[in-house]
Amino acid sequence: MKIIGVIPARYKSSRFPGKPLVDICGKPMIYWVYRQAMKVKEFNEVYIATDDERIRAACDQYGMKVIMTSDKHNTGSDRVAEVAEKTDGDLYVNVQGDEPVINPEMIREVISIFQEDETVYFGSLKKEITDSDEIQATSTVKVVTDDKGDAMYFSRSVIPSNLKDGKLARVFRHVGIYAYKKEFLLKFAAMEQTELELGEGIEPLRAMQKGYKMRLKETTYSSIGVDLPEHVALVEKIIRKETD
């Protein structure tokens, strides 16, 4: 199985314009994400997928492989699908471009889903959360899965609600690393965005509303995403500690 890592990198961002190129320890953030992805020995290739010439220039400067994509994509998965159209691979892993300290083991965990069950075509990770603020936050995407690990629903609301007295059900956060077999990924990108996807702002609901399944594996690892400028200092501290 040929496995391709893809890091979508979009310059435009309502909350943090130019985020992929923000300086972290003297290099653009996208460099550090690529660096972590390259530690995953299962990858045959790793590409940055972007629609911006400034990001392509940065990739060229640091010797990172880049594929230019359309600026019309609605989601990162749609951008990864364009890379799949242009490359020869069996499994594509969408590595978030704003996680410069992502643990490579998390990426391997997603890949292992497909190695353990060849019927899976769409996979990701989940992590149990217990902090009440994180559970209540609409920025935290929650997921409920069945006994097999297939997603039943995603929401920014609290699911399960745990409103009944007695033993509470565990709450899981969705960890946004997506992996897709090529055939399914191309099919996904051809689908119209659905009511549930648009209402929740969560990509997998596009496929789930149409009856497709998504397998999630539980992880114990954590990662820090750079969503706002003030998060840069947090990841710089981690990178300096690892590189000293």
Side-chain angles (χ1 to χ4, degrees), residues 34 38 44-49 59-60 62-67:
Y34 188 88
M38 289 295 289
N44 297 94
E45 301 284 354
V46 177
Y47 297 102
I48 308 292
C59 292
D60 291 343
Y62 290 98
M64 300 184 287
K65 293 182 179 180
V66 60
I67 291 179

Side-chain angles (χ1 to χ4, degrees), residues 3 17 20 54 75 97 101 106 113 118 129 140 156 165-166 188 196 220 223-224 230-231 236:
I3 306 174
R54 289 163 290 189
T75 70
V101 292
M106 298 174 75
I113 296 172
E118 63 180 17
I129 52 176
T140 303
R156 296 182 184 276
D165 294 333
F188 177 89
L196 291 177
T220 59
S223 187
I224 299 175
E230 50 264 36
H231 297 157
E236 282 190 321

Side-chain angles (χ1 to χ4, degrees), residues 82-117:
E82 184 175 343
V83 173
E85 291 174 346
K86 297 177 176 178
T87 57
D88 179 25
D90 301 301
L91 182 69
Y92 288 80
V93 182
N94 179 345
V95 180
Q96 299 299 312
D98 59 1
E99 296 199 7
V101 292
I102 186 171
N103 191 319
E105 289 302 322
M106 298 174 75
I107 300 172
R108 293 190 182 102
E109 285 180 331
V110 176
I111 293 171
S112 73
I113 296 172
F114 298 82
Q115 296 170 330
E116 293 164 3
D117 186 345

Side-chain angles (χ1 to χ4, degrees), residues 113-152:
I113 296 172
F114 298 82
Q115 296 170 330
E116 293 164 3
D117 186 345
E118 63 180 17
T119 68
V120 175
Y121 47 82
F122 191 17
S124 191
L125 299 178
K126 65 178 184 178
K127 180 177 174 61
E128 184 177 3
I129 52 176
T130 57
D131 180 81
S132 59
D133 289 339
E134 185 176 4
I135 291 172
Q136 294 294 331
T138 56
S139 58
T140 303
V141 174
K142 276 73 69 173
V143 62
V144 173
T145 58
D146 63 19
D147 290 345
K148 198 172 183 178
D150 290 334
M152 297 169 67

